[in-house]
Amino acid sequence: MNLTLRAAGRRRCAALGAFSVLVRLIQHPNPQVRTHINGTLYAMLGVPSLRTEAIQQGAEETFRAVLSKTPPPDDLLKR
């Protein structure tokens, strides 16, 4: 996630194909990992080339499917 804080890091992640890796991790069982993945995706989708790639790969459908399968909040979120 730290790599995506700067524009150069986001462009490098896009060039390396990080989007496909992040999408695979979006359903990780650990809620802390999912939080970081979501933040990283948010930052990276600001890169036009990556956003275009995401649209072409059907990101919206993928995100909607993940949201429909998301379990209710666990105890970690209640603390």
Side-chain angles (χ1 to χ4, degrees):
M1 182 171 176
N2 289 340
L3 184 60
T4 63
L5 294 176
R6 297 188 61 210
R10 289 189 295 272
R11 286 191 301 268
R12 181 69 175 144
C13 284
L16 292 173
F19 178 74
S20 60
V21 174
L22 293 169
V23 168
R24 285 193 303 256
L25 289 172
I26 201 166
Q27 294 185 25
H28 195 280
N30 185 328
Q32 291 176 332
V33 171
R34 287 193 310 265
T35 299
H36 285 283
I37 295 300
N38 290 337
T40 303
L41 281 169
Y42 180 81
M44 290 191 60
L45 287 172
V47 177
S49 62
L50 188 99
R51 189 177 11 197
T52 301
E53 176 187 346
I55 291 168
Q56 290 173 349
Q57 291 183 9
E60 184 173 352
E61 293 83 21
T62 301
F63 297 151
R64 288 187 189 278
V66 169
L67 279 174
S68 69
K69 296 176 187 177
T70 302
D74 57 15
D75 291 338
L76 181 64
L77 298 176
K78 293 179 184 175
R79 291 184 222 167

